Amino acid sequence: MTRLSSFLAAVTRFVTRHVALTLVLSALAAAAYGFGVSKVEFSTAYRIFFPEGDPGLTALTRLEDVFTKTDNVLVVIHRPGGVFDRRALAAVQRATEAGWQLPHASRVDSLTNFQHFESTEDDIVQGPLVARPARELSDDELAAIQQAALGDPVLSGSLVSPDGTTTAVNVNLRLPGERADEVSAVAEAARALADELRRDYPELTVQLTGMALMNHAFMEASMRDMAVMLPVVLLLILGLVAFWLRSLLATLAIALVTLASAAAAMATAGWLGYPITPPSAAAPIVVLTLAVADGVHIVRTTSQLMAQGHDRLEAIRESMRVNWGPVTYTSLTTMVGFACLNFAETQPVWHLANMTVVGVFVAWLLSVTALPAMLVRIRLRAREADERSPRFAALADFVTRHYRGVFVVSAVVVGLSAVGVTRLQPNDDFVRYFDEALEFRVATDFTQEHLSGIYRLELEVRSGEENGISDPAYVGKLEELVTWLRERPEVHHVYAFTDILKRVNQTVSGDDPAAYRLPETREAAAQYLMLYEMGLPPGMALSDRINVDKSSTRVTITIGDLQSQEVRAFAAATESWLAAHAPPSMAGKVTGPVVIFSELSERNVRTMMGGNLASLLLISLCLAFVLRSARLAGVSLLPNILPIVVGYGIWGLAVSRLNIVASVAGTVSLGIIVDDTIHFLMKYERMRREKGLSAEEAVRETLVQVGPAMAITTVVLASGFFVLALSAFQMTSHLGVLTGAIAVAAIVNDLFLLPALLLGLARKGEGRASTPVAHLNTELS
């Protein structure tokens, strides 16, 4: 017996001899580390998805520093008969006044406080479009307000729908970023305002959207996922384990191990300062799913050994001797797979990875210490053979007779799947990140249907000199850009400085429609700008459109519900237009939350190629070390790579697009699904080495003895991941469905293709005991 195996045997003897001490120490350690859960905070910022120094986020932050923040609350008010009604306008006025009272409000824009210019005889009047209480307005005044609002390009298609049935109050926010609950406070206050409007104006539909509500939806999605999915996964997994083991106490012991492991995953977030986001909220759920497998193999082997005549203590120690290697190596490969997620571009995926790695490590540690100690005190039922074993014996007979046919069918399936893989594209639909059960998703869909597009792109257009925005050449080229943008089919609205200049020019010309054009001289443009700014009330300055030294302006482009690939194409086309038609000084980068998410999605797919290769290499090295045969390690990877191809192939045919998190499913899956392969190969080689069985006999015995355990752990694994489909966040739900599908494909490969490969090698003379395969590493077994 080697030193390592002697040490591991000594550990098993210690924990089974000193049960109380082992359990007390395990409980104290779990409680001490689990204290980190109290430090956990939920994130309410989409910016957490971007690493420090991300070029897209840097560009957006710079634009916000020059102008104003993009954080906002949008109060959407809809009346089927039209909002140019006394009560509807009264509701808008009330929402406008209340908007200033929202926490951290810095500016409020609405139909009623929109700064309107008009010429009256020899005077120019500037003021709110609705200058007095709406209930006092005459029918003629209402008609005039409607005509002015729908005819103004700044309002129509932005804060007022072209059909006049919907309007919005936009509240810009200046969040200090000093407290974690800032966004939640804004969301709660906005919801209170919306509830008041719904109560006092029941004929109106009131919805809330905007970046602040989206940020808050991240926290709501995380909390909903944990509240819904954690108990579902726990009950489902423990129900399956209890049904299979037929032992309530053994199931309870495994439950304690899995719960402590899931708590350790959450505590890791607290200790490392990771905020909980929808992707990282899945970590304890994933750990619950993964932690079960070790316990199932240990308990199942113990039960079988007891049925063979061993007393309980002997059976536990022999079960640990047999399972030390497989349990350790499978935990290691799982941790390697998740650790490689740190190649991803998005921070929440890093958090998911590292939280899961710690959870899986704790599950392994407790499975080889606390679990055998608990089994000493449990009345475990001895089971000679699984009732499903004859089915696996029949499966072995089938594979033995038709292993060449298995190769052919596998090749056909992989070929068809490859067609689906070619259809995959990194593409996201950001509104649909959120489930329709969330208020934000409902409100955003409503806004898109009744008011305007919900994605706002921002572009800073520089003049290259101080006060250069008054230069006719600059404003002329800016107007060309705006005209080009408005002709694009995906554009719903464009808000640019040139609209203000044209409106003022028309007003000073006696509201002559023919004068709705840009001023012809630099002096006129500067005077019109000064005239407009002098009449603005406090809080309504043009600082959101023009920078301090008047050298650049901001263009806001509202687009429809485009997917990330289309957003990237539109942004690139806009930047290319500027580069081709404007002076170099006017060149700029299109930015905005939807743009930087789109860029992140594409980069994530590219960088995860490195993650996939690293995971494949490290897991291959692990297998080569375990099997002491690089050739067999390479062969064993085939049944684990092919399920990933099949899973992504089915996904490509059914969905075709990959979101940011679904793109990492391959890396996640490889570290998980190789576990059954390790159990199978180590059992197979033990049959060959210790019992001297032929390849056919060893395949049969392996399928009979570990096949049922592989099947039940895969059912548990797939079920746990499929439960993630209940997530309120699409990133998580797609990851769960895709990983679950890969797990199902993997067990099919392990039960059919892997035995067929072993038989094929053996029949070519490469599977005899004299080959390097026979020198299987036995130090942990």
Side-chain angles (χ1 to χ4, degrees):
M1 183 178 290
T2 65
R3 292 182 179 180
L4 181 57
S5 58
S6 298
F7 170 75
L8 299 178
V11 171
T12 301
R13 285 196 302 272
F14 179 88
V15 299
T16 53
R17 184 178 299 163
H18 304 283
V19 173
L21 178 60
T22 299
L23 295 180
V24 168
L25 290 176
S26 299
L28 290 175
Y33 192 78
F35 180 74
V37 173
S38 64
K39 302 176 180 293
V40 168
E41 293 183 347
F42 288 86
S43 173
T44 57
Y46 71 87
R47 296 168 190 256
I48 190 64
F49 279 82
F50 300 88
E52 185 177 352
D54 179 88
L57 184 60
T58 301
L60 177 59
T61 302
R62 183 192 179 285
L63 181 137
E64 291 180 332
D65 290 341
V66 173
F67 301 104
T68 57
K69 299 289 186 183
T70 56
D71 296 318
N72 72 312
V73 171
L74 196 69
V75 184
V76 180
I77 298 174
H78 172 75
R79 178 176 175 270
V83 295
F84 296 98
D85 163 86
R86 293 178 185 84
R87 282 182 56 80
L89 290 179
V92 174
Q93 286 181 322
R94 181 169 170 183
T96 303
E97 295 171 2
W100 288 104
Q101 306 306 314
L102 293 181
H104 314 297
S106 62
R107 181 188 177 100
V108 181
D109 291 284
S110 72
L111 166 66
T112 56
N113 77 349
F114 178 73
Q115 294 301 295
H116 179 61
F117 250 53
E118 63 179 348
S119 175
T120 59
E121 298 180 356
D122 295 329
D123 199 7
I124 295 176
V125 177
Q126 179 181 0
L129 182 58
V130 183
R132 57 198 185 95
R135 63 178 181 274
E136 301 175 3
L137 297 174
S138 66
D139 291 343
D140 289 342
E141 288 175 312
L142 289 172
I145 291 170
Q146 179 174 358
Q147 181 179 5
L150 298 183
D152 194 302
V154 175
L155 273 181
S156 184
S158 176
L159 292 180
V160 182
S161 63
D163 64 2
T165 62
T166 311
T167 187
V169 177
N170 184 61
V171 183
N172 276 23
L173 306 170
R174 195 181 301 277
L175 298 170
E178 298 172 352
R179 295 172 54 90
D181 60 353
E182 289 172 355
V183 172
S184 296
V186 172
E188 291 172 5
R191 287 173 175 172
L193 168 59
D195 288 341
E196 290 179 8
L197 293 174
R198 293 180 186 121
R199 180 194 64 205
D200 295 341
Y201 301 93
E203 72 275 21
L204 304 178
T205 300
V206 180
Q207 298 285 4
L208 292 175
T209 184
M211 293 306 301
L213 275 298
M214 187 186 83
N215 282 332
H216 189 65
F218 279 109
M219 183 183 74
E220 290 184 315
S222 303
M223 296 179 68
R224 179 184 178 276
D225 282 358
M226 298 187 71
V228 172
M229 293 191 299
L230 266 175
V232 171
V233 168
L234 185 61
L235 291 175
L236 176 63
I237 289 175
L238 295 183
L240 289 170
V241 172
F243 173 78
W244 189 61
L245 294 180
R246 303 289 201 276
S247 173
L248 184 60
L249 291 178
T251 301
L252 179 60
I254 293 175
L256 291 175
V257 169
T258 57
L259 286 171
S261 305
M266 281 293 290
T268 300
W271 291 119
L272 297 182
Y274 293 165
I276 298 300
T277 56
S280 62
I285 300 166
V286 171
V287 170
L288 279 178
T289 302
L290 298 176
V292 169
D294 293 345
V296 166
H297 282 285
I298 291 170
V299 172
R300 177 60 185 162
T301 305
T302 302
S303 178
Q304 289 177 330
L305 290 168
M306 289 174 62
Q308 295 172 12
H310 295 272
D311 64 35
R312 181 166 51 192
L313 189 57
E314 290 176 346
I316 294 170
R317 290 176 177 175
E318 178 62 15
S319 175
M320 292 306 303
R321 186 190 76 82
V322 170
N323 284 295
W324 259 110
V327 165
T328 299
Y329 289 127
T330 56
S331 298
L332 177 61
T333 55
T334 299
M335 289 188 286
V336 166
F338 274 93
C340 288
L341 293 184
N342 283 282
F343 280 85
E345 283 282 312
T346 178
Q347 292 190 76
V349 174
W350 305 346
H351 302 163
L352 167 67
N354 298 330
M355 291 166 66
T356 304
V357 166
V358 173
V360 171
F361 173 77
V362 171
W364 168 81
L365 186 61
L366 293 178
S367 293
V368 298
T369 55
L371 181 59
M374 286 187 282
L375 292 180
V376 173
R377 303 299 187 193
I378 289 175
R379 288 182 176 272
L380 192 62
R381 177 184 175 185
R383 299 181 66 188
E384 180 66 42
D386 194 280
E387 55 268 26
R388 289 169 288 275
S389 295
R391 301 175 189 174
F392 285 89
L395 172 62
D397 293 337
F398 175 84
V399 173
T400 301
R401 291 195 303 270
H402 305 291
Y403 73 95
R404 290 186 179 88
V406 171
F407 294 151
V408 173
V409 172
S410 298
V412 171
V413 171
V414 171
L416 293 174
S417 300
V419 175
V421 171
T422 61
R423 299 184 69 245
L424 287 172
Q425 295 179 337
N427 222 347
D428 286 87
D429 191 337
F430 300 103
V431 170
R432 286 167 180 77
Y433 272 179
F434 300 96
D435 189 83
E436 292 179 356
L438 294 177
E439 181 181 339
F440 169 76
R441 168 68 185 278
V442 174
T444 303
D445 285 345
F446 183 90
T447 302
Q448 184 170 258
E449 178 182 356
H450 294 281
L451 180 59
S452 181
I454 41 77
Y455 294 143
R456 292 192 174 185
L457 282 56
E458 308 289 351
L459 174 64
E460 181 184 7
V461 183
R462 302 178 181 88
S463 67
E465 60 175 321
E466 187 174 346
N467 296 313
I469 63 171
S470 299
D471 184 356
Y474 171 83
V475 294
K477 192 58 66 175
L478 183 61
E479 178 66 4
E480 287 182 34
L481 170 65
V482 171
T483 301
W484 178 81
L485 287 169
R486 285 173 175 162
E487 292 173 350
R488 301 276 298 191
E490 59 268 69
V491 173
H492 289 201
H493 186 264
V494 181
Y495 180 17
F497 162 66
T498 52
D499 292 319
I500 296 173
L501 284 181
K502 290 189 291 183
R503 184 70 185 94
V504 177
N505 189 53
Q506 180 184 18
T507 303
V508 298
S509 301
D511 284 331
D512 179 7
Y516 187 75
R517 61 179 184 271
L518 294 172
E520 297 178 355
T521 66
R522 185 173 190 142
E523 291 73 18
Q527 289 175 2
Y528 291 167
L529 177 59
M530 182 177 65
L531 176 65
Y532 183 82
E533 288 185 305
M534 288 177 58
L536 294 175
M540 301 296 289
L542 285 177
S543 57
D544 69 325
R545 294 290 112 192
I546 302 172
N547 70 346
V548 174
D549 66 358
K550 293 181 171 54
S551 63
S552 68
T553 64
R554 173 186 189 175
V555 177
T556 301
I557 310 158
T558 304
I559 60 175
D561 185 14
L562 303 183
Q563 295 182 359
S564 61
Q565 192 175 39
E566 297 167 316
V567 171
R568 292 194 299 271
F570 174 80
T574 303
E575 293 166 7
S576 296
W577 190 96
L578 270 175
H581 297 89
S585 60
M586 294 182 68
K589 178 174 174 55
V590 177
T591 186
V594 67
V595 176
I596 62 177
F597 263 110
S598 298
E599 294 171 344
L600 178 69
S601 175
E602 182 183 37
R603 290 200 312 274
N604 193 70
V605 172
R606 291 199 307 267
T607 56
M608 280 314 300
M609 292 298 294
N612 290 332
L613 291 175
S615 178
L616 180 62
L617 175 62
L618 292 173
I619 289 174
S620 298
L621 292 174
C622 289
L623 288 171
F625 176 75
V626 172
L627 303 175
R628 291 301 174 105
S629 169
R631 186 172 187 179
L632 188 60
V635 171
S636 67
L637 276 176
L638 187 62
N640 295 294
I641 295 175
L642 295 187
I644 297 174
V645 175
V646 172
Y648 275 112
I650 294 173
W651 192 263
L653 294 172
V655 181
S656 79
R657 66 178 184 272
L658 285 175
N659 65 37
I660 295 174
V661 173
S663 63
V664 308
T667 305
V668 170
S669 301
L670 186 58
I672 295 172
I673 62 180
V674 76
D675 294 0
D676 281 340
T677 304
I678 291 175
H679 278 285
F680 189 100
L681 288 174
M682 295 192 76
K683 188 69 174 180
Y684 170 82
E685 281 301 316
R686 186 174 288 110
M687 294 291 111
R688 298 293 308 278
R689 185 183 65 254
E690 295 181 0
K691 296 188 177 182
L693 301 181
S694 66
E696 291 84 352
E697 292 170 333
V699 164
R700 179 186 178 88
E701 286 300 311
T702 300
L703 282 172
V704 169
Q705 292 191 27
V706 303
M710 290 167 55
I712 189 63
T713 53
T714 299
V715 168
V716 169
L717 181 70
S719 299
F721 276 100
F722 281 138
V723 168
L724 293 181
L726 300 175
S727 172
F729 199 63
Q730 187 194 74
M731 284 186 180
T732 306
S733 64
H734 281 193
L735 174 66
V737 173
L738 184 51
T739 307
I742 292 172
V744 172
I747 189 62
V748 174
N749 275 269
D750 281 332
L751 295 178
F752 287 89
L753 182 58
L754 180 58
L757 287 170
L758 294 173
L759 290 170
L761 287 175
R763 291 179 182 180
K764 288 183 179 181
E766 297 179 16
R768 293 189 299 270
S770 60
T771 67
V773 177
H775 301 295
L776 178 70
N777 175 41
T778 59
E779 289 189 345
L780 291 183
S781 60

